[in-house]
Amino acid sequence: MTPMITLEEEKRYLVLLSVLLLGGAATKKDALDTLVSYRLIQLDEDDLVIKQNIKEAAWRSDLGFIRKHLERRGYLDGSIRGLWRITTHGLIYFFDLCQIMNTNFNLSYHKVSPDAKAIAAEYTGDQLRDLEHKTTFRPSMYSIFRYIMGEALLKQALLRQGCACAVCGVDAPVMLEAVRPKPWIRCTEQEKLNDQNGLLLCQRHGNLFSRGLLAFDEDGRPMLSSKLPKTAAKIYSADLPEQVAFPEETKVYLNWHRAHVFKK
């Protein structure tokens, strides 16, 4: 049986969509204003009634409660007061909702507007659909957007654990990147969501690691590939630490990287 989206799920979709459109993190005001500005939400007279106890429109208060539901389920991170941030789990859940909406694209929704339906179809679009206005769908957008957001969220998670390159200690966020020992394309869904499958490295060491020219042995000692020219190896080895302490779960992914990516 084709799954049907509930009113609660419509509202969750709209909250997550507004946060994503603002780059993955937003204040309540900005997120809800975005829904109105882009005509993504359908409001009726009851939604516009001002609740006198909080001096706020009913629909804004309602979506505020929906945000709490999303936080309790781990789809939004509310650890920073006043900021809604989507988590990796929230991103996956958002695409699940897109899939359901795209399956039921002919339904009349209570709160989701035609424009919001079109976005769901674009992120999952497997064929052209007539959603009350012409829209160009790109079949590859789902996987590409999902990957980009997944990598961005991994970097956010790693930065919260410590803002420095694991190899040389460079601590400027703009110079750091999140690198997966086991690449996204080779990961299971669970592994894609696992922050332990990630290292925070500066651009130089991240490039070496991703290309299989740098790895770590079982004790966390850096290893340079024999494929590196001698001059380059001498330069790169100068700032390598004797050993790096990694969590046990990360070591599992580093072992995979050493076996499948590292160019001995």
Side-chain angles (χ1 to χ4, degrees):
M1 179 180 293
T2 300
M4 306 291 284
I5 195 165
T6 65
L7 179 58
E8 166 83 10
E9 288 172 331
E10 283 189 46
K11 295 173 181 177
R12 292 180 185 180
Y13 168 78
L14 289 171
V15 170
L16 294 174
L17 174 59
S18 66
V19 174
L20 282 171
L21 288 173
L22 292 170
T27 64
K28 175 182 177 180
K29 181 180 184 304
D30 288 343
L32 300 187
D33 286 351
T34 294
L35 293 177
V36 176
S37 298
Y38 289 92
R39 299 179 299 177
L40 300 175
I41 188 169
Q42 298 181 142
L43 301 173
D44 56 31
E45 291 183 1
D46 291 336
D47 292 322
L48 299 175
V49 171
I50 301 297
K51 291 190 171 184
Q52 294 304 317
N53 58 329
I54 55 175
K55 305 297 182 183
E56 184 177 52
W59 74 272
R60 298 180 77 95
S61 174
D62 184 31
L63 291 191
F65 282 110
I66 296 298
R67 180 267 304 171
K68 292 181 180 179
H69 299 170
L70 292 167
E71 280 187 15
R72 284 199 293 269
R73 289 164 174 79
Y75 300 139
L76 283 179
D77 176 3
S79 59
I80 298 179
R81 184 176 178 84
L83 190 66
W84 301 359
R85 293 189 299 176
I86 194 166
T87 65
T88 307
H89 291 283
L91 181 65
I92 301 300
Y93 180 61
F94 170 77
F95 283 113
D96 289 341
L97 294 176
C98 286
Q99 293 278 23
I100 296 173
M101 291 178 60
N102 199 25
T103 302
N104 298 286
F105 69 96
N106 280 325
L107 291 180
S108 296
Y109 292 93
H110 297 281
K111 296 302 174 192
V112 174
S113 73
D115 288 321
K117 285 192 290 184
I119 291 175
E122 182 147 357
Y123 286 151
T124 61
D126 53 357
Q127 64 184 58
L128 185 64
R129 303 194 186 280
D130 181 9
L131 297 177
E132 302 175 28
H133 61 288
K134 292 183 178 180
T135 305
T136 300
F137 300 99
R138 296 185 293 277
S140 63
M141 174 169 281
Y142 173 77
S143 58
I144 293 173
F145 181 82
R146 192 169 183 265
Y147 167 77
I148 291 172
M149 287 303 298
E151 298 307 279
L153 290 167
L154 175 64
K155 182 176 180 179
Q156 289 180 12
L158 294 175
L159 284 172
R160 289 196 293 271
Q161 297 170 23
C163 182
C165 173
V167 175
C168 65
V170 167
D171 58 0
V174 70
M175 297 178 65
L176 299 173
E177 58 185 39
V179 180
R180 294 180 186 271
K182 187 174 184 179
W184 173 279
I185 196 171
R186 303 291 296 276
C187 288
T188 64
E189 287 301 303
Q190 185 176 5
E191 289 170 336
K192 289 175 181 177
L193 298 172
N194 193 343
D195 296 343
Q196 297 302 316
N197 180 28
L199 299 180
L200 200 60
L201 298 174
C202 68
Q203 293 169 356
R204 181 172 70 166
H205 290 118
N207 184 46
L208 288 172
F209 187 81
S210 297
R211 294 173 60 189
L213 301 174
L214 169 67
F216 299 89
D217 68 15
E218 293 183 356
D219 296 318
R221 290 187 289 264
M223 306 164 57
L224 288 176
S225 169
S226 61
K227 304 297 182 182
L228 276 172
K230 290 184 179 180
T231 302
K234 183 176 181 180
I235 294 173
Y236 289 136
S237 63
D239 62 355
L240 291 179
E242 290 187 7
Q243 191 175 19
V244 180
F246 294 110
E248 289 302 315
E249 192 172 354
T250 300
K251 289 181 181 179
V252 174
Y253 292 106
L254 290 173
N255 291 342
W256 190 97
H257 174 272
R258 191 170 62 253
H260 299 280
V261 180
F262 183 55
K263 300 172 183 175
K264 297 179 177 63

